[in-house]
Amino acid sequence: MSFRTTASHPALILDDVRGAQKMLSGVARVTALEGSRHLTELVGSPVHLKCENLQRTGSFKLRGAYVRISGLTPVERAAGVVAASAGNHAQGVALASSLLGVRSTVFMPVGAPLPKVAATREYGAEVRLHGQVVDETLAAAQRYAEETGAVFIHPFDHPDIIAGQGTVGLEILEQCPEVRTIVLGIGGGGFAAGVAVAVKALRPDVRIVGVQAEGAACYLPSLAAGHPVSLDSPATMADGIKVGRPGDVPFALIEELVDEVRTVTEDELSSALLLCLERAKLVVEPAGASPVAALLSDPKAFRGPVVAVLSGGNVDPLLMQRILRHGMSAAGRYLSLRLRLTDRPGALAALLAALTVADANVLDISHVRTDPRLGLTEAEVDLHLETKGPQHCAEVEAALRAAGFRVMG
């Protein structure tokens, strides 16, 4: 594909995204747009979920990877491609390369989740594990490209990648022509930039809101400074948007076209993931749940109809287990308490009876009677309880105190 340029950066136009859409016909799925009754009631106007978590490879990344690799010359294709990723981009590049008959090598961190490593291999890539963090993996992939002549496929900082991701914006306008606000996660910015190019060209009145994890919000200082700024140590469980520096190409587009960038906390991400699973019956990774987290944190800030893009669903089962427990805790569905009680026959039974009256379900209990921290007639109990929300948590604690138990926290 060819792009017009300015003095500072390649500038995408609507025709570029439409060209990518034609290229992706029969390759990428037109993913479903599902209504959410719960979020609609919360926001006060219709809310729809754009299910890119159900895309081939489990995320939107296939779109950009396929368009980028399709644009390579025969000589470049013969040299193969190389990428670095902890998951979604890796799988997108692997499948796109296989579909186009191009050899691919993907570098992944040593600690990458095994399901993601296995899926990348199954899509046809040679996987090399290198480095403990993505920056180290990225450097290894770039060295490999220099040494072998393979074409490095950047996850977000290239016009072809952005044009491919922008096809999601065209689909949203086709599926929900009355949309007033689009909410989507931002990592390096390729996805948000592409959607913004497509949507603003056709519907400049549509508000586009980007969402970043609070611990990896590289766009806020960058937009304030007017140029990409690097974070020292981005930290979030949402690895799909855990990026320390905006891409140069998407940054210029986001600065011009995206109306607002918000942040969400880890607790809000956990609650959003839990809501997607329970209410929408959709498995979504933390990065994919970030738009829902933004809606939950400030529901009245979004003019509807709203489309929230669930950008990916590739979540490691072990991480899912931890996230769900964290989400349940953040939502008041899980309560951990430590209590002191008199060490006498029947004391533990009395505690369990009080919990039964309070309608709290005991998930786990630890009873310690011999510890130097305890008095001669004391015992300590660690409780893990399933509860029904923040109000119920407060009621359980109050019931235990009223029954004479000393709640330590």
Side-chain angles (χ1 to χ4, degrees), residues 114-362:
L114 293 179
K116 293 185 178 183
V117 174
T120 303
R121 286 192 173 119
E122 289 171 7
Y123 287 128
E126 176 190 347
V127 175
R128 299 192 180 191
L129 301 178
H130 183 92
Q132 298 300 319
V133 295
V134 174
D135 287 344
E136 296 173 359
T137 308
L138 183 64
Q142 291 171 325
R143 285 195 302 272
Y144 179 89
E146 294 169 0
E147 293 167 359
T148 65
V151 179
F152 179 67
I153 307 299
H154 199 283
F156 51 81
D157 203 11
H158 192 279
D160 288 359
I161 294 286
I162 296 170
Q165 322 302 32
T167 58
V168 173
L170 295 180
E171 289 179 17
I172 290 172
L173 294 183
E174 291 165 3
Q175 294 170 312
C176 185
E178 69 277 14
V179 63
R180 303 298 295 275
T181 305
I182 296 174
V183 190
L184 72 174
I186 297 184
F191 183 41
V195 170
V197 166
V199 171
K200 289 293 187 177
L202 294 168
R203 288 280 308 282
D205 61 302
V206 172
R207 185 171 179 80
I208 298 179
V209 179
V211 183
Q212 293 207 288
E214 192 174 67
C218 61
Y219 265 88
L220 291 179
S222 298
L223 291 170
H227 59 81
V229 173
S230 297
L231 300 180
D232 291 334
S233 302
T236 175
M237 63 180 168
D239 57 354
I241 53 174
K242 184 181 177 182
V243 177
R245 182 186 185 278
D248 292 325
V249 179
F251 175 79
L253 295 167
I254 286 173
E255 185 179 39
E256 178 184 356
L257 299 173
V258 171
D259 297 285
E260 180 185 6
V261 176
R262 289 174 166 254
T263 63
V264 291
T265 67
E266 300 297 283
D267 282 351
E268 288 164 347
L269 286 169
S270 296
S271 297
L273 188 148
L274 186 61
L275 182 142
C276 289
L277 187 63
E278 284 192 324
R279 298 298 184 97
K281 307 300 183 283
L282 291 168
V283 175
V284 182
E285 62 188 271
S290 59
V292 175
L295 294 177
L296 291 176
S297 68
D298 192 6
K300 301 307 178 185
F302 300 90
R303 184 177 59 175
V306 177
V307 173
V309 185
L310 308 181
S311 58
N314 293 317
V315 57
D316 179 58
L318 294 177
L319 176 61
M320 171 72 87
Q321 186 179 37
R322 294 196 297 270
I323 290 172
L324 289 178
R325 176 167 289 190
H326 187 77
M328 288 179 69
S329 179
R333 300 274 303 280
Y334 184 85
L335 178 63
S336 296
L337 292 174
R338 177 171 295 172
L339 299 91
R340 293 278 176 89
L341 61 160
T342 304
D343 187 15
R344 56 176 176 76
L348 188 57
L351 171 60
L352 295 176
L355 291 170
T356 299
V357 172
D359 201 21
N361 187 33
V362 179

Side-chain angles (χ1 to χ4, degrees), residues 329 333-337 383-387 392-393 396-397:
S329 179
R333 300 274 303 280
Y334 184 85
L335 178 63
S336 296
L337 292 174
L383 287 171
H384 301 283
L385 308 172
E386 183 182 3
T387 48
H392 189 215
C393 288
V396 170
E397 286 198 47

